[in-house]
Amino acid sequence: MEQSGTSALLQGAVQDLATDVVSALRGGDHVRMSSTGTGTVEEIEGSLDLAAVRVLGADLLLPHVLFPAPPDPEALAVFRKTVEAFPPRADAAPTVKWSHWAMSRTLRRLDSPLTDAPGAPGAPFEDEAAEPDADWLDAATWQVLTHQLAVLAPLAVPGDDCAVARAAGRRPVDVARGFVRAVRRRDYQQAAGAGRWLTLLDGVPDTLGLEAGLDFVELMGGNDPRVALQVQAARVMRTAGALV
C-alpha cells in the first residue's frame, strides 16, 4: 500500500510539472514548477520532486529551448541536481541512458545563467559523456520503434542532431504507421509522442493528416498533461517550421 501511495504521489508530481510546461509552451513564458516552488533547492534535494523531474526529463526545460526566454535560475538548479543525482547505471536500458543524455545536453545549452544565481556552482555544467548506442532502433519493428520514440520524445527538438533522431529520420513511414496504430489503440500518450517526432521528419505521407490527427489526440487525451505537452510541443515546432 505504501508503494502504491508513493507511486500515486510521483504520478501527481509529474502531472503538475507537465501542466507547468504546457502553460509555458502556450505562453512563451518561464516554467513555474508549481510542485517545487515552495521549497529551496536544498530542501527538495532527494525529494519526490527530483524524481518527478527525472521522469519528465529534458522536456521540463523545453519552453526555454524553443523560446528565447531564459529559465528561472531556481528551476535550472533543480534540473541540474536531478541530472547529478540520477546518473544511469552501466546496465540501464537504452531509453534511460538516452533520457539522461538528453537532460545533460539541455543543461549544457542552458546552464550558463546558473553561474550567476545565489548559491550556484562556480562553473557551467559539463558532461562529456558520449551518445549512447542507437543501433537497436534500426532493427526494431515499426511497432517497437514507435513505442521507443514516444518514450524518447524529449529528443525531438528542431535542429538537434543525434543518433535517435537520425534513426527516426530513416523511417518516417514506420513512425506514421505507429502513430495511426497508437490512435486506434487509444494510447494517446504514445500517439502524441510519435506525432511530435513526425512534425520534424521529412517524408511523412501527406495522407496521414498529421495536424488533424494531433487535434484528435488532444481532444481525446488532453486531460492528461503529458499528452497535452507533446501535442503543444508539436504545434510550437510546426509553427516555427512554417515560419522559416
Side-chain angles (χ1 to χ4, degrees):
M1 182 68 69
E2 180 179 351
Q3 183 176 1
S4 176
T6 301
S7 176
L9 287 172
L10 177 57
Q11 182 179 4
V14 173
Q15 290 180 335
D16 286 344
L17 290 179
T19 298
D20 292 334
V21 174
V22 172
S23 177
L25 285 171
R26 288 173 176 165
D29 201 356
H30 294 291
V31 176
R32 300 298 180 185
M33 296 188 65
S34 61
S35 65
T36 58
T38 57
T40 66
V41 176
E42 290 74 18
E43 288 171 341
I44 67 171
E45 185 171 5
S47 71
L48 190 68
D49 293 304
L50 291 187
V53 172
R54 185 194 186 200
V55 172
L56 200 61
D59 275 347
L60 178 71
L61 297 181
L62 179 63
H64 309 296
V65 173
L66 299 180
F67 300 123
D72 178 79
E74 190 81 2
L76 196 59
V78 173
F79 190 85
R80 176 173 184 157
K81 281 189 174 293
T82 304
V83 173
E84 294 170 343
F86 295 105
R89 302 185 317 186
D91 61 348
T95 51
V96 173
K97 293 179 180 179
W98 272 105
S99 178
H100 180 81
W101 184 87
M103 293 182 73
S104 298
R105 181 180 66 176
T106 300
L107 197 52
R108 286 194 301 271
R109 172 183 292 176
L110 300 174
D111 195 32
S112 55
L114 188 59
T115 58
D116 298 325
F125 177 80
E126 295 182 2
D127 186 344
E128 301 300 327
E131 280 189 12
D133 176 71
D135 292 344
W136 96 98
L137 288 176
D138 290 323
T141 64
W142 60 270
Q143 297 95 329
V144 171
L145 173 71
T146 305
H147 171 72
Q148 297 290 281
L149 289 178
V151 172
L152 295 174
L155 288 163
V157 179
D160 277 357
D161 180 53
C162 68
V164 171
R166 292 191 294 272
R170 289 190 290 268
R171 301 177 65 179
V173 175
D174 282 345
V175 182
R177 291 175 68 190
F179 173 79
V180 173
R181 177 176 181 266
V183 171
R184 288 177 174 171
R185 292 165 62 93
R186 301 180 183 179
D187 187 344
Y188 298 118
Q189 189 166 317
Q190 183 176 135
R196 174 173 166 181
W197 278 105
L198 288 166
T199 300
L200 299 177
L201 300 184
D202 295 324
V204 177
D206 293 335
T207 54
L208 178 63
L210 179 59
E211 188 170 353
L214 285 171
D215 287 345
F216 180 78
V217 169
E218 182 182 43
L219 176 65
M220 301 302 294
N223 288 333
D224 181 343
R226 298 182 70 181
V227 171
L229 191 163
Q230 300 303 334
V231 172
Q232 188 62 29
R235 283 186 174 143
V236 170
M237 295 188 298
R238 192 178 185 89
T239 301
L243 294 176
V244 173

